[in-house]
Amino acid sequence: MKIALYIVSAAFGGLSLLAAVSQMRSDKRPFSHIMMAVGSLGLFAALACGIAQQSFDWIPALAGGALICAAAVWNGKKSGNFHIQHHIVRILLSLILIVGFILF
């Protein structure tokens, strides 16, 4: 189960980082994209803490997930292209990952 948690965390963090970097290149106000990139690094930190069997691995997962979700909501509102279903799925995935880090 831990392996699945780590794979999904790495995929979510990597895809979020990829999206943030690609948007930083095209946007003149990249604060929210930087916020998403930092959130991705938080998920990678949680992954590293989990592999090192640190009991506080859920803290960077919580911070990273919150930053990624907040940045995505901000980007959606800023661009005028806000899809609520997309954000609900992203928030649910973040919550599942955080619970996974807490339990495992």
Side-chain angles (χ1 to χ4, degrees), residues 7-17 40 43 65 68 90 93-94 97:
I7 289 171
V8 173
S9 296
F12 186 52
L15 290 172
S16 296
L17 185 60
S40 298
L43 272 181
I68 289 171
R90 186 184 301 259
L93 179 59
S94 293
L97 291 176

Side-chain angles (χ1 to χ4, degrees), residues 13-55:
L15 290 172
S16 296
L17 185 60
L18 182 66
V21 170
S22 86
Q23 287 298 315
M24 276 189 239
R25 294 181 180 170
S26 64
D27 198 350
K28 296 183 191 300
R29 298 174 297 186
F31 180 73
S32 61
H33 311 309
I34 292 170
M35 194 166 71
M36 184 174 283
V38 170
S40 298
L41 296 176
L43 272 181
F44 289 134
L47 181 61
C49 289
I51 291 170
Q53 298 182 351
Q54 301 295 319
S55 61

Side-chain angles (χ1 to χ4, degrees), residues 46 49-60 101-104:
C49 289
I51 291 170
Q53 298 182 351
Q54 301 295 319
S55 61
F56 57 85
D57 56 356
W58 64 273
I59 296 172
F101 277 106
I102 291 171
L103 295 178
F104 303 111

